[in-house]
């Protein structure tokens, strides 16, 4: 009986030694190790911690390639159908406000971000943009402002964005004519942070009131 007990304990010892050896994680290359962040359906994120149970093939750590950097952005559902892989983008980092990086849209999720389902009725889609060229000084976790070039327009008529007033589905602006201001309905197109394209309703050379809200009383003909 004593010999059987000894064999059983020796087997258990061998099993524990094997498990202990498998607890050692060896890096395949040098670099910075980061914890992998898991997000569930409800948008809650978590990382591995001491004492937590892990499952087979669970991703725990990663060594990012610091020679290639990507920006993760959440794009509003109203414009997601206009974005495709390969589009050009510009990136500005908060830590380097005087630098502008160019990038390329790498991937677009086909389903909304899980966090967006709970936060509000608005749907947002995770979009990955790869930074082109040198990424020296950039580290994971930095905050960035991303602008994706949806389209390129040449030889178009545009006015400052704040010149437009919205009334339902109609757009208006005020044009100076014969010393007074005339309310003019316009048809608009694409826009950016500063300007909006005018498809119809204005002509080149028209003098447009930049900020209608700054004028208490607008004289009309």
């Amino acid at each position: 009986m004593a010999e059987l007990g000894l064999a059983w304990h020796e087997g258990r010892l061998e099993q524990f030694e094997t498990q202990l050896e498998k607890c050692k994680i060896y890096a395949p290359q040098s670099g910075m190790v980061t914890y992998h962040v898991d997000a569930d359906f409800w948008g809650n994120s978590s990382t591995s911690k001491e004492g937590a149970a892990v499952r087979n093939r669970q991703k725990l750590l990663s060594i990012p390639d610091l020679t290639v950097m990507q920006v993760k952005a959440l794009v509003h559902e109203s414009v997601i159908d206009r974005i495709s892989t390969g589009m050009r983008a510009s990136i500005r980092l908060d830590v380097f406000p005087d630098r502008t990086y160019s990038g390329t849209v790498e991937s677009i999720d086909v389903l909304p971000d899980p966090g967006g389902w709970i936060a509000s009725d608005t749907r947002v889609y995770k979009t990955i943009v790869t930074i082109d060229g040198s990424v020296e000084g950039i580290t994971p976790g930095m905050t960035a402002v991303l602008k994706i070039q949806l389209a390129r327009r040449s030889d178009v008529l545009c006015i400052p964005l704040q010149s437009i007033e919205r009334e339902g589905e109609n757009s208006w602006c005020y044009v100076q004519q014969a010393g007074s201001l005339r309310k003019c309905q316009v048809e608009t197109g694409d826009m950016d942070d500063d300007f909006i394209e005018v498809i119809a309703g204005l002509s080149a050379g028209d003098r447009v009131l930049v900020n209608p809200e700054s004028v208490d009383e607008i004289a009309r003909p």
Side-chain angles (χ1 to χ4, degrees):
M1 292 294 295
E3 292 180 354
L4 291 176
L6 176 62
W8 183 84
H9 285 293
E10 288 178 342
R12 293 282 290 173
L13 176 60
E14 182 180 356
Q15 180 183 2
F16 289 144
E17 289 177 341
T18 302
Q19 291 179 348
L20 180 61
E21 181 62 28
K22 291 181 178 180
C23 288
K24 298 178 182 179
I25 301 175
Y26 298 92
Q29 63 191 48
S30 60
M32 179 179 66
V33 177
T34 61
Y35 286 106
H36 177 71
V37 179
D38 278 321
D40 59 20
F41 176 82
W42 305 101
N44 300 317
S45 59
S46 62
T47 58
S48 301
K49 58 184 178 180
E50 183 178 355
V54 296
R55 63 182 182 275
N56 186 35
R57 295 189 176 277
Q58 178 180 343
K59 190 172 183 179
L60 302 176
L61 306 168
S62 62
I63 304 178
D65 182 0
L66 299 183
T67 63
V68 178
M69 286 290 178
Q70 295 179 325
V71 178
K72 182 180 76 172
L74 298 177
V75 178
H76 193 272
E77 61 182 345
S78 62
V79 295
I80 195 65
D81 61 334
R82 301 182 59 190
I83 297 177
S84 59
T85 56
M87 280 186 167
R88 305 297 301 160
S90 61
I91 302 107
R92 183 178 58 81
L93 302 175
D94 289 351
V95 295
F96 303 128
D98 57 335
R99 303 182 192 175
T100 300
Y101 299 86
S102 61
T104 305
V105 176
E106 188 74 20
S107 65
I108 307 161
D109 281 4
V110 296
L111 296 176
D113 183 74
W117 290 17
I118 304 305
S120 67
D121 292 334
T122 302
R123 302 290 186 263
V124 290
Y125 294 76
K126 185 174 73 174
T127 302
I128 302 298
V129 175
T130 301
I131 299 178
D132 302 330
S134 174
V135 292
E136 183 179 358
I138 303 178
T139 59
M142 288 183 173
T143 304
V145 176
L146 174 68
K147 292 183 179 180
I148 299 176
Q149 183 176 302
L150 299 180
R152 180 179 292 274
R153 297 284 189 266
S154 59
D155 193 23
V156 297
L157 182 64
C158 60
I159 60 176
L161 185 60
Q162 64 267 30
S163 300
I164 293 293
E165 285 190 338
R166 304 285 188 182
E167 295 181 7
E169 297 182 356
N170 299 322
S171 300
W172 304 82
C173 67
Y174 291 93
V175 181
Q176 184 179 36
Q177 289 183 348
S180 62
L181 294 172
R182 178 176 63 88
K183 189 175 181 180
C184 181
Q185 184 174 353
V186 294
E187 181 183 351
T188 59
D190 285 337
M191 69 181 77
D192 58 16
D193 292 340
D194 302 311
F195 295 95
I196 184 168
E197 178 187 5
V198 177
I199 300 174
L202 292 179
S203 300
D206 286 344
R207 295 176 63 86
V208 177
L209 184 64
V210 174
N211 188 8
E213 295 182 357
S214 65
V215 181
D216 294 333
E217 294 183 0
I218 299 177
R220 298 176 176 84

